[in-house]
Amino acid sequence: MRVLRRTLGTLLVLGLLGGCLSCAAARGDDAGPGDRRAEAPAPYEQLLPAPASVRAAGPGYPLGPGTVIRTGPVGDDEVRRVGELLAEQLRGPTGLPLPVVEGLEGTAGAGILLRIDARAEGVGEEGYRLESAPRGVTLTARTPAGLFHAGQTLRQLLPPAGAGTVPGGQITDAPRFAYRGAMLDIARHFFPVEQVKRYVDQLARYKVNTLHLHLTDDQGWRIAVDSWPRLAEYGGGSEVGGGPGGHWTKDQYRDLVAYAAARYVDVVPEIDMPGHVNAALASYAELNCDGKAPERYTGIKVGFSSLCVGKDRTYEFIDDVLGELAALTPGRYLHIGGDEAHSTPAADYAAFMDRAQAVVGKYGKTVVAWHQLAAARPAPGAVLQYWGHDKTAAAEKAAVAAAAKAGHPLILSPADRLYLDMKYDATTKPGLAWAGYVPVRRAYDWDPGTYLAGSGVPASAVLGVEAPLWTETIATRPDLEFMAFPRILGLAELGWNPAPPDWSGYSRRLAAQAPRLDAESITYYRAPDVPWP
Ligand code: NGO
């Protein structure tokens, strides 16, 4: 239905603009006999994610020393900030001064215009229109987020280095899914804020709008909690393999959240419970049923730890932790894990999750949990994150489908499609393979809307997609990037573009990103079936 709606929208735009090149290109349609569509200039064909509709036409706008970035309406600080950030992103590669000025008046030959139009059609909350002609480029959106995404498209229309020309044409674009996420596990191995910012930059560049942070696990507790200081001070001092670990202070966390927000990336923090809690149990003896703190843990087993479900102190603990985390979180979601609670009896698990979900609600947030919550009692509105795979038992999928039909939105993270920690193939050095190998094509070549249809999940229940990067075997920036790139671009494409998957078209657009990844010194896997330059 959603696809159909989008297709109708596309046809409408097509009718208005007189032709839709990239939607056909994205689907790999062959131009039929008598088809008079012109070839789109290469930059429009290379866009990733592919826009909903593109029309290439006439000469474009050459950037030059006189180019300014104009923002309006005057006095809208947020639009101004979007303009400043775009200028910053363009100054490096173009070498131009690109001053930012407020006001759209007297704009003939004015350069790059960013304008809010609350009635802009076909762009939704996050989409945009981009028009390029010799006198300038106009970006129009209903929201600053839309303008930000338009700016990222503009970057891709320019060469990776040098000033260049924005080719003539028009784009009308909007995302397929509201939730387009990446997850990073900073618990198994600790990663500093600066490195995560670098990841945020890349995600935002490809219109991924959510960063889920897995902040706690058996091997480490990574976020300062004032009311329970030993969590970070002691529980943060370990990681897989016996390294020093580390944690983020609240100021560092706020800094990351603000950095991401400026790029329209929402941070969803996760405190995993009632399992995956050895770091907390090691930090506070009182959290253990027997009152004895275990050693810190640096291996990679899962499913052996549990909070003490029968103890009142456990609920004071989660109230304190989730309360402090909610206060650090401008977004609407708090993720409470709920996966692999193999050491918590099923009835205890359900009782615990009831109380944990109530705490999230008390702090005004919406629950996200791994899909195991479906087998307990998901609270009204709770979002489930599906991480099953082709071999997941039918009964488990049926429980997820029942929750979806009862109104619980789903985030899809199939482990054998979107887990970025799965090896590409037998030669990949970092990574795991419990869900099988995940080559670049496999990560991209599926449809989230129909993925669980066979189990009874309606397409309308799919809130979006997320690619998790677990770090049991990943400790360095090159390894992290090697596993994420280029598969994370497949996630970006699936989350944004409504067209059915088309590997041949997609792999060509992916290959065209190589010079941009190279320009940022990103380590990426040169998959053999992608026509890299
Ligand atoms: C599972 C497990 C994680 C592992 C990951 C490794 C989920 C939701 N729980 O995914 O603890 O790190 O696999 O691939």
mmCIF file with all atom_site columns, all heavy atoms in Angstrom, residues 185 188 214 217 276 302 339-340 370 387 419 421-422 432 434 470 472, ligand 1:
data_model
loop_
_atom_site.group_PDB
_atom_site.id
_atom_site.type_symbol
_atom_site.label_atom_id
_atom_site.label_alt_id
_atom_site.label_comp_id
_atom_site.label_asym_id
_atom_site.label_entity_id
_atom_site.label_seq_id
_atom_site.pdbx_PDB_ins_code
_atom_site.Cartn_x
_atom_site.Cartn_y
_atom_site.Cartn_z
_atom_site.occupancy
_atom_site.B_iso_or_equiv
_atom_site.pdbx_formal_charge
_atom_site.auth_seq_id
_atom_site.auth_comp_id
_atom_site.auth_asym_id
_atom_site.auth_atom_id
_atom_site.pdbx_PDB_model_num
ATOM   1   N N   . ASP A 1 185 ? 27.415 -0.731  19.067 1.00 0.00 ? 185 ASP A N   1
ATOM   2   C CA  . ASP A 1 185 ? 27.656 -1.338  20.382 1.00 0.00 ? 185 ASP A CA  1
ATOM   3   C C   . ASP A 1 185 ? 28.972 -0.773  20.903 1.00 0.00 ? 185 ASP A C   1
ATOM   4   O O   . ASP A 1 185 ? 30.044 -1.133  20.406 1.00 0.00 ? 185 ASP A O   1
ATOM   5   C CB  . ASP A 1 185 ? 27.715 -2.860  20.160 1.00 0.00 ? 185 ASP A CB  1
ATOM   6   C CG  . ASP A 1 185 ? 28.225 -3.647  21.355 1.00 0.00 ? 185 ASP A CG  1
ATOM   7   O OD1 . ASP A 1 185 ? 28.326 -3.080  22.454 1.00 0.00 ? 185 ASP A OD1 1
ATOM   8   O OD2 . ASP A 1 185 ? 28.501 -4.854  21.161 1.00 0.00 ? 185 ASP A OD2 1
ATOM   9   N N   . ARG A 1 188 ? 30.815 -3.753  24.136 1.00 0.00 ? 188 ARG A N   1
ATOM   10  C CA  . ARG A 1 188 ? 31.771 -4.877  23.998 1.00 0.00 ? 188 ARG A CA  1
ATOM   11  C C   . ARG A 1 188 ? 33.186 -4.328  23.814 1.00 0.00 ? 188 ARG A C   1
ATOM   12  O O   . ARG A 1 188 ? 34.137 -4.815  24.379 1.00 0.00 ? 188 ARG A O   1
ATOM   13  C CB  . ARG A 1 188 ? 31.369 -5.766  22.830 1.00 0.00 ? 188 ARG A CB  1
ATOM   14  C CG  . ARG A 1 188 ? 30.438 -6.904  23.196 1.00 0.00 ? 188 ARG A CG  1
ATOM   15  C CD  . ARG A 1 188 ? 29.206 -6.457  23.990 1.00 0.00 ? 188 ARG A CD  1
ATOM   16  N NE  . ARG A 1 188 ? 28.328 -7.561  24.270 1.00 0.00 ? 188 ARG A NE  1
ATOM   17  C CZ  . ARG A 1 188 ? 27.398 -8.031  23.419 1.00 0.00 ? 188 ARG A CZ  1
ATOM   18  N NH1 . ARG A 1 188 ? 27.189 -7.416  22.268 1.00 0.00 ? 188 ARG A NH1 1
ATOM   19  N NH2 . ARG A 1 188 ? 26.667 -9.074  23.743 1.00 0.00 ? 188 ARG A NH2 1
ATOM   20  N N   . HIS A 1 214 ? 24.107 1.114   21.887 1.00 0.00 ? 214 HIS A N   1
ATOM   21  C CA  . HIS A 1 214 ? 24.049 0.006   22.846 1.00 0.00 ? 214 HIS A CA  1
ATOM   22  C C   . HIS A 1 214 ? 25.090 0.335   23.925 1.00 0.00 ? 214 HIS A C   1
ATOM   23  O O   . HIS A 1 214 ? 26.285 0.140   23.735 1.00 0.00 ? 214 HIS A O   1
ATOM   24  C CB  . HIS A 1 214 ? 24.377 -1.286  22.101 1.00 0.00 ? 214 HIS A CB  1
ATOM   25  C CG  . HIS A 1 214 ? 24.204 -2.521  22.921 1.00 0.00 ? 214 HIS A CG  1
ATOM   26  N ND1 . HIS A 1 214 ? 22.972 -3.038  23.252 1.00 0.00 ? 214 HIS A ND1 1
ATOM   27  C CD2 . HIS A 1 214 ? 25.124 -3.373  23.465 1.00 0.00 ? 214 HIS A CD2 1
ATOM   28  C CE1 . HIS A 1 214 ? 23.131 -4.157  23.960 1.00 0.00 ? 214 HIS A CE1 1
ATOM   29  N NE2 . HIS A 1 214 ? 24.423 -4.366  24.107 1.00 0.00 ? 214 HIS A NE2 1
ATOM   30  N N   . ASP A 1 217 ? 26.409 -3.646  28.562 1.00 0.00 ? 217 ASP A N   1
ATOM   31  C CA  . ASP A 1 217 ? 26.306 -5.095  28.325 1.00 0.00 ? 217 ASP A CA  1
ATOM   32  C C   . ASP A 1 217 ? 27.154 -5.787  29.393 1.00 0.00 ? 217 ASP A C   1
ATOM   33  O O   . ASP A 1 217 ? 27.672 -5.131  30.312 1.00 0.00 ? 217 ASP A O   1
ATOM   34  C CB  . ASP A 1 217 ? 26.764 -5.448  26.892 1.00 0.00 ? 217 ASP A CB  1
ATOM   35  C CG  . ASP A 1 217 ? 25.986 -6.649  26.344 1.00 0.00 ? 217 ASP A CG  1
ATOM   36  O OD1 . ASP A 1 217 ? 26.022 -7.714  27.001 1.00 0.00 ? 217 ASP A OD1 1
ATOM   37  O OD2 . ASP A 1 217 ? 25.332 -6.521  25.289 1.00 0.00 ? 217 ASP A OD2 1
ATOM   38  N N   . HIS A 1 276 ? 22.230 -9.460  29.976 1.00 0.00 ? 276 HIS A N   1
ATOM   39  C CA  . HIS A 1 276 ? 23.340 -8.625  29.484 1.00 0.00 ? 276 HIS A CA  1
ATOM   40  C C   . HIS A 1 276 ? 23.741 -7.564  30.514 1.00 0.00 ? 276 HIS A C   1
ATOM   41  O O   . HIS A 1 276 ? 23.990 -6.408  30.159 1.00 0.00 ? 276 HIS A O   1
ATOM   42  C CB  . HIS A 1 276 ? 22.959 -7.958  28.153 1.00 0.00 ? 276 HIS A CB  1
ATOM   43  C CG  . HIS A 1 276 ? 22.856 -8.909  26.994 1.00 0.00 ? 276 HIS A CG  1
ATOM   44  N ND1 . HIS A 1 276 ? 23.941 -9.313  26.248 1.00 0.00 ? 276 HIS A ND1 1
ATOM   45  C CD2 . HIS A 1 276 ? 21.798 -9.572  26.465 1.00 0.00 ? 276 HIS A CD2 1
ATOM   46  C CE1 . HIS A 1 276 ? 23.554 -10.148 25.292 1.00 0.00 ? 276 HIS A CE1 1
ATOM   47  N NE2 . HIS A 1 276 ? 22.261 -10.336 25.416 1.00 0.00 ? 276 HIS A NE2 1
ATOM   48  N N   . VAL A 1 302 ? 26.924 -15.012 25.735 1.00 0.00 ? 302 VAL A N   1
ATOM   49  C CA  . VAL A 1 302 ? 25.722 -14.212 26.029 1.00 0.00 ? 302 VAL A CA  1
ATOM   50  C C   . VAL A 1 302 ? 24.755 -15.049 26.868 1.00 0.00 ? 302 VAL A C   1
ATOM   51  O O   . VAL A 1 302 ? 24.868 -16.264 26.936 1.00 0.00 ? 302 VAL A O   1
ATOM   52  C CB  . VAL A 1 302 ? 24.989 -13.756 24.738 1.00 0.00 ? 302 VAL A CB  1
ATOM   53  C CG1 . VAL A 1 302 ? 25.845 -12.821 23.915 1.00 0.00 ? 302 VAL A CG1 1
ATOM   54  C CG2 . VAL A 1 302 ? 24.549 -14.951 23.904 1.00 0.00 ? 302 VAL A CG2 1
ATOM   55  N N   . ASP A 1 339 ? 16.657 -8.734  25.118 1.00 0.00 ? 339 ASP A N   1
ATOM   56  C CA  . ASP A 1 339 ? 17.059 -9.897  24.310 1.00 0.00 ? 339 ASP A CA  1
ATOM   57  C C   . ASP A 1 339 ? 17.776 -10.935 25.181 1.00 0.00 ? 339 ASP A C   1
ATOM   58  O O   . ASP A 1 339 ? 18.369 -10.596 26.202 1.00 0.00 ? 339 ASP A O   1
ATOM   59  C CB  . ASP A 1 339 ? 18.006 -9.446  23.186 1.00 0.00 ? 339 ASP A CB  1
ATOM   60  C CG  . ASP A 1 339 ? 19.229 -8.731  23.720 1.00 0.00 ? 339 ASP A CG  1
ATOM   61  O OD1 . ASP A 1 339 ? 19.089 -7.964  24.703 1.00 0.00 ? 339 ASP A OD1 1
ATOM   62  O OD2 . ASP A 1 339 ? 20.336 -8.928  23.185 1.00 0.00 ? 339 ASP A OD2 1
ATOM   63  N N   . GLU A 1 340 ? 17.732 -12.152 24.743 1.00 0.00 ? 340 GLU A N   1
ATOM   64  C CA  . GLU A 1 340 ? 18.562 -13.229 25.291 1.00 0.00 ? 340 GLU A CA  1
ATOM   65  C C   . GLU A 1 340 ? 18.595 -13.277 26.815 1.00 0.00 ? 340 GLU A C   1
ATOM   66  O O   . GLU A 1 340 ? 19.660 -13.455 27.412 1.00 0.00 ? 340 GLU A O   1
ATOM   67  C CB  . GLU A 1 340 ? 20.005 -13.085 24.778 1.00 0.00 ? 340 GLU A CB  1
ATOM   68  C CG  . GLU A 1 340 ? 20.091 -13.225 23.279 1.00 0.00 ? 340 GLU A CG  1
ATOM   69  C CD  . GLU A 1 340 ? 21.497 -13.009 22.747 1.00 0.00 ? 340 GLU A CD  1
ATOM   70  O OE1 . GLU A 1 340 ? 22.194 -12.096 23.220 1.00 0.00 ? 340 GLU A OE1 1
ATOM   71  O OE2 . GLU A 1 340 ? 21.886 -13.743 21.844 1.00 0.00 ? 340 GLU A OE2 1
ATOM   72  N N   . TRP A 1 370 ? 14.093 -5.309  21.909 1.00 0.00 ? 370 TRP A N   1
ATOM   73  C CA  . TRP A 1 370 ? 14.296 -6.394  20.950 1.00 0.00 ? 370 TRP A CA  1
ATOM   74  C C   . TRP A 1 370 ? 13.035 -7.243  20.923 1.00 0.00 ? 370 TRP A C   1
ATOM   75  O O   . TRP A 1 370 ? 12.253 -7.249  21.889 1.00 0.00 ? 370 TRP A O   1
ATOM   76  C CB  . TRP A 1 370 ? 15.536 -7.208  21.337 1.00 0.00 ? 370 TRP A CB  1
ATOM   77  C CG  . TRP A 1 370 ? 16.788 -6.376  21.311 1.00 0.00 ? 370 TRP A CG  1
ATOM   78  C CD1 . TRP A 1 370 ? 17.472 -5.886  22.387 1.00 0.00 ? 370 TRP A CD1 1
ATOM   79  C CD2 . TRP A 1 370 ? 17.500 -5.897  20.163 1.00 0.00 ? 370 TRP A CD2 1
ATOM   80  N NE1 . TRP A 1 370 ? 18.560 -5.131  21.986 1.00 0.00 ? 370 TRP A NE1 1
ATOM   81  C CE2 . TRP A 1 370 ? 18.600 -5.133  20.623 1.00 0.00 ? 370 TRP A CE2 1
ATOM   82  C CE3 . TRP A 1 370 ? 17.312 -6.031  18.788 1.00 0.00 ? 370 TRP A CE3 1
ATOM   83  C CZ2 . TRP A 1 370 ? 19.509 -4.509  19.755 1.00 0.00 ? 370 TRP A CZ2 1
ATOM   84  C CZ3 . TRP A 1 370 ? 18.229 -5.408  17.919 1.00 0.00 ? 370 TRP A CZ3 1
ATOM   85  C CH2 . TRP A 1 370 ? 19.305 -4.671  18.402 1.00 0.00 ? 370 TRP A CH2 1
ATOM   86  N N   . TRP A 1 387 ? 15.160 -9.005  15.123 1.00 0.00 ? 387 TRP A N   1
ATOM   87  C CA  . TRP A 1 387 ? 16.529 -9.373  14.721 1.00 0.00 ? 387 TRP A CA  1
ATOM   88  C C   . TRP A 1 387 ? 16.617 -10.857 14.368 1.00 0.00 ? 387 TRP A C   1
ATOM   89  O O   . TRP A 1 387 ? 17.670 -11.476 14.478 1.00 0.00 ? 387 TRP A O   1
ATOM   90  C CB  . TRP A 1 387 ? 17.539 -8.978  15.795 1.00 0.00 ? 387 TRP A CB  1
ATOM   91  C CG  . TRP A 1 387 ? 17.366 -9.627  17.138 1.00 0.00 ? 387 TRP A CG  1
ATOM   92  C CD1 . TRP A 1 387 ? 16.414 -9.327  18.068 1.00 0.00 ? 387 TRP A CD1 1
ATOM   93  C CD2 . TRP A 1 387 ? 18.173 -10.672 17.715 1.00 0.00 ? 387 TRP A CD2 1
ATOM   94  N NE1 . TRP A 1 387 ? 16.561 -10.126 19.182 1.00 0.00 ? 387 TRP A NE1 1
ATOM   95  C CE2 . TRP A 1 387 ? 17.646 -10.952 19.002 1.00 0.00 ? 387 TRP A CE2 1
ATOM   96  C CE3 . TRP A 1 387 ? 19.282 -11.389 17.284 1.00 0.00 ? 387 TRP A CE3 1
ATOM   97  C CZ2 . TRP A 1 387 ? 18.176 -11.928 19.845 1.00 0.00 ? 387 TRP A CZ2 1
ATOM   98  C CZ3 . TRP A 1 387 ? 19.828 -12.364 18.141 1.00 0.00 ? 387 TRP A CZ3 1
ATOM   99  C CH2 . TRP A 1 387 ? 19.281 -12.612 19.398 1.00 0.00 ? 387 TRP A CH2 1
ATOM   100 N N   . TYR A 1 419 ? 22.825 -7.206  10.035 1.00 0.00 ? 419 TYR A N   1
ATOM   101 C CA  . TYR A 1 419 ? 23.845 -7.195  11.088 1.00 0.00 ? 419 TYR A CA  1
ATOM   102 C C   . TYR A 1 419 ? 25.203 -6.899  10.452 1.00 0.00 ? 419 TYR A C   1
ATOM   103 O O   . TYR A 1 419 ? 25.736 -7.706  9.681  1.00 0.00 ? 419 TYR A O   1
ATOM   104 C CB  . TYR A 1 419 ? 23.877 -8.524  11.841 1.00 0.00 ? 419 TYR A CB  1
ATOM   105 C CG  . TYR A 1 419 ? 23.015 -8.545  13.090 1.00 0.00 ? 419 TYR A CG  1
ATOM   106 C CD1 . TYR A 1 419 ? 21.841 -7.796  13.159 1.00 0.00 ? 419 TYR A CD1 1
ATOM   107 C CD2 . TYR A 1 419 ? 23.380 -9.302  14.195 1.00 0.00 ? 419 TYR A CD2 1
ATOM   108 C CE1 . TYR A 1 419 ? 21.058 -7.807  14.307 1.00 0.00 ? 419 TYR A CE1 1
ATOM   109 C CE2 . TYR A 1 419 ? 22.602 -9.324  15.351 1.00 0.00 ? 419 TYR A CE2 1
ATOM   110 C CZ  . TYR A 1 419 ? 21.443 -8.574  15.395 1.00 0.00 ? 419 TYR A CZ  1
ATOM   111 O OH  . TYR A 1 419 ? 20.676 -8.589  16.533 1.00 0.00 ? 419 TYR A OH  1
ATOM   112 N N   . ASP A 1 421 ? 27.945 -6.813  11.854 1.00 0.00 ? 421 ASP A N   1
ATOM   113 C CA  . ASP A 1 421 ? 29.055 -7.583  12.426 1.00 0.00 ? 421 ASP A CA  1
ATOM   114 C C   . ASP A 1 421 ? 29.166 -8.969  11.789 1.00 0.00 ? 421 ASP A C   1
ATOM   115 O O   . ASP A 1 421 ? 30.104 -9.702  12.087 1.00 0.00 ? 421 ASP A O   1
ATOM   116 C CB  . ASP A 1 421 ? 28.922 -7.714  13.947 1.00 0.00 ? 421 ASP A CB  1
ATOM   117 C CG  . ASP A 1 421 ? 27.622 -8.366  14.375 1.00 0.00 ? 421 ASP A CG  1
ATOM   118 O OD1 . ASP A 1 421 ? 26.561 -8.041  13.791 1.00 0.00 ? 421 ASP A OD1 1
ATOM   119 O OD2 . ASP A 1 421 ? 27.648 -9.203  15.296 1.00 0.00 ? 421 ASP A OD2 1
ATOM   120 N N   . MET A 1 422 ? 28.234 -9.344  10.914 1.00 0.00 ? 422 MET A N   1
ATOM   121 C CA  . MET A 1 422 ? 28.385 -10.615 10.213 1.00 0.00 ? 422 MET A CA  1
ATOM   122 C C   . MET A 1 422 ? 29.456 -10.452 9.133  1.00 0.00 ? 422 MET A C   1
ATOM   123 O O   . MET A 1 422 ? 29.504 -9.431  8.449  1.00 0.00 ? 422 MET A O   1
ATOM   124 C CB  . MET A 1 422 ? 27.057 -11.036 9.561  1.00 0.00 ? 422 MET A CB  1
ATOM   125 C CG  . MET A 1 422 ? 25.981 -11.430 10.558 1.00 0.00 ? 422 MET A CG  1
ATOM   126 S SD  . MET A 1 422 ? 26.450 -12.811 11.626 1.00 0.00 ? 422 MET A SD  1
ATOM   127 C CE  . MET A 1 422 ? 26.291 -12.028 13.238 1.00 0.00 ? 422 MET A CE  1
ATOM   128 N N   . LEU A 1 432 ? 31.501 -11.936 13.090 1.00 0.00 ? 432 LEU A N   1
ATOM   129 C CA  . LEU A 1 432 ? 30.937 -13.229 13.494 1.00 0.00 ? 432 LEU A CA  1
ATOM   130 C C   . LEU A 1 432 ? 30.224 -13.810 12.279 1.00 0.00 ? 432 LEU A C   1
ATOM   131 O O   . LEU A 1 432 ? 30.092 -13.144 11.253 1.00 0.00 ? 432 LEU A O   1
ATOM   132 C CB  . LEU A 1 432 ? 29.946 -13.023 14.643 1.00 0.00 ? 432 LEU A CB  1
ATOM   133 C CG  . LEU A 1 432 ? 30.494 -12.345 15.906 1.00 0.00 ? 432 LEU A CG  1
ATOM   134 C CD1 . LEU A 1 432 ? 29.354 -12.032 16.872 1.00 0.00 ? 432 LEU A CD1 1
ATOM   135 C CD2 . LEU A 1 432 ? 31.549 -13.216 16.584 1.00 0.00 ? 432 LEU A CD2 1
ATOM   136 N N   . TRP A 1 434 ? 27.373 -16.245 12.996 1.00 0.00 ? 434 TRP A N   1
ATOM   137 C CA  . TRP A 1 434 ? 26.312 -17.126 13.512 1.00 0.00 ? 434 TRP A CA  1
ATOM   138 C C   . TRP A 1 434 ? 25.032 -17.035 12.677 1.00 0.00 ? 434 TRP A C   1
ATOM   139 O O   . TRP A 1 434 ? 24.278 -17.999 12.602 1.00 0.00 ? 434 TRP A O   1
ATOM   140 C CB  . TRP A 1 434 ? 26.027 -16.851 14.991 1.00 0.00 ? 434 TRP A CB  1
ATOM   141 C CG  . TRP A 1 434 ? 25.452 -15.498 15.301 1.00 0.00 ? 434 TRP A CG  1
ATOM   142 C CD1 . TRP A 1 434 ? 26.143 -14.403 15.744 1.00 0.00 ? 434 TRP A CD1 1
ATOM   143 C CD2 . TRP A 1 434 ? 24.085 -15.092 15.197 1.00 0.00 ? 434 TRP A CD2 1
ATOM   144 N NE1 . TRP A 1 434 ? 25.299 -13.332 15.899 1.00 0.00 ? 434 TRP A NE1 1
ATOM   145 C CE2 . TRP A 1 434 ? 24.017 -13.737 15.576 1.00 0.00 ? 434 TRP A CE2 1
ATOM   146 C CE3 . TRP A 1 434 ? 22.905 -15.738 14.815 1.00 0.00 ? 434 TRP A CE3 1
ATOM   147 C CZ2 . TRP A 1 434 ? 22.824 -13.007 15.578 1.00 0.00 ? 434 TRP A CZ2 1
ATOM   148 C CZ3 . TRP A 1 434 ? 21.715 -15.011 14.821 1.00 0.00 ? 434 TRP A CZ3 1
ATOM   149 C CH2 . TRP A 1 434 ? 21.698 -13.660 15.207 1.00 0.00 ? 434 TRP A CH2 1
ATOM   150 N N   . TRP A 1 470 ? 27.525 -4.833  16.168 1.00 0.00 ? 470 TRP A N   1
ATOM   151 C CA  . TRP A 1 470 ? 27.976 -5.364  17.464 1.00 0.00 ? 470 TRP A CA  1
ATOM   152 C C   . TRP A 1 470 ? 29.480 -5.489  17.419 1.00 0.00 ? 470 TRP A C   1
ATOM   153 O O   . TRP A 1 470 ? 30.054 -5.787  16.360 1.00 0.00 ? 470 TRP A O   1
ATOM   154 C CB  . TRP A 1 470 ? 27.325 -6.727  17.716 1.00 0.00 ? 470 TRP A CB  1
ATOM   155 C CG  . TRP A 1 470 ? 25.833 -6.704  17.683 1.00 0.00 ? 470 TRP A CG  1
ATOM   156 C CD1 . TRP A 1 470 ? 25.016 -6.972  16.629 1.00 0.00 ? 470 TRP A CD1 1
ATOM   157 C CD2 . TRP A 1 470 ? 24.969 -6.372  18.780 1.00 0.00 ? 470 TRP A CD2 1
ATOM   158 N NE1 . TRP A 1 470 ? 23.704 -6.845  17.008 1.00 0.00 ? 470 TRP A NE1 1
ATOM   159 C CE2 . TRP A 1 470 ? 23.642 -6.480  18.315 1.00 0.00 ? 470 TRP A CE2 1
ATOM   160 C CE3 . TRP A 1 470 ? 25.183 -6.005  20.114 1.00 0.00 ? 470 TRP A CE3 1
ATOM   161 C CZ2 . TRP A 1 470 ? 22.536 -6.225  19.127 1.00 0.00 ? 470 TRP A CZ2 1
ATOM   162 C CZ3 . TRP A 1 470 ? 24.085 -5.761  20.920 1.00 0.00 ? 470 TRP A CZ3 1
ATOM   163 C CH2 . TRP A 1 470 ? 22.776 -5.868  20.433 1.00 0.00 ? 470 TRP A CH2 1
ATOM   164 N N   . GLU A 1 472 ? 31.861 -7.363  19.458 1.00 0.00 ? 472 GLU A N   1
ATOM   165 C CA  . GLU A 1 472 ? 32.665 -8.388  20.143 1.00 0.00 ? 472 GLU A CA  1
ATOM   166 C C   . GLU A 1 472 ? 34.035 -8.537  19.490 1.00 0.00 ? 472 GLU A C   1
ATOM   167 O O   . GLU A 1 472 ? 35.043 -8.753  20.162 1.00 0.00 ? 472 GLU A O   1
ATOM   168 C CB  . GLU A 1 472 ? 31.972 -9.759  20.084 1.00 0.00 ? 472 GLU A CB  1
ATOM   169 C CG  . GLU A 1 472 ? 30.789 -9.920  21.013 1.00 0.00 ? 472 GLU A CG  1
ATOM   170 C CD  . GLU A 1 472 ? 29.467 -9.668  20.296 1.00 0.00 ? 472 GLU A CD  1
ATOM   171 O OE1 . GLU A 1 472 ? 29.429 -8.832  19.369 1.00 0.00 ? 472 GLU A OE1 1
ATOM   172 O OE2 . GLU A 1 472 ? 28.470 -10.311 20.674 1.00 0.00 ? 472 GLU A OE2 1
HETATM 173 C C1  . NGO B 2 .   ? 22.650 -10.833 19.174 1.00 0.00 ? 1   NGO B C1  1
HETATM 174 C C2  . NGO B 2 .   ? 22.828 -10.542 20.643 1.00 0.00 ? 1   NGO B C2  1
HETATM 175 C C3  . NGO B 2 .   ? 23.991 -9.601  20.912 1.00 0.00 ? 1   NGO B C3  1
HETATM 176 C C4  . NGO B 2 .   ? 25.223 -10.024 20.120 1.00 0.00 ? 1   NGO B C4  1
HETATM 177 C C5  . NGO B 2 .   ? 24.874 -10.101 18.641 1.00 0.00 ? 1   NGO B C5  1
HETATM 178 C C6  . NGO B 2 .   ? 26.054 -10.547 17.816 1.00 0.00 ? 1   NGO B C6  1
HETATM 179 C C7  . NGO B 2 .   ? 21.054 -9.403  19.864 1.00 0.00 ? 1   NGO B C7  1
HETATM 180 C C8  . NGO B 2 .   ? 19.865 -8.554  19.776 1.00 0.00 ? 1   NGO B C8  1
HETATM 181 N N1  . NGO B 2 .   ? 21.576 -9.895  20.964 1.00 0.00 ? 1   NGO B N1  1
HETATM 182 O O1  . NGO B 2 .   ? 21.771 -9.745  18.779 1.00 0.00 ? 1   NGO B O1  1
HETATM 183 O O2  . NGO B 2 .   ? 24.282 -9.587  22.280 1.00 0.00 ? 1   NGO B O2  1
HETATM 184 O O3  . NGO B 2 .   ? 26.244 -9.076  20.311 1.00 0.00 ? 1   NGO B O3  1
HETATM 185 O O4  . NGO B 2 .   ? 23.804 -10.972 18.405 1.00 0.00 ? 1   NGO B O4  1
HETATM 186 O O5  . NGO B 2 .   ? 25.791 -10.641 16.463 1.00 0.00 ? 1   NGO B O5  1
#
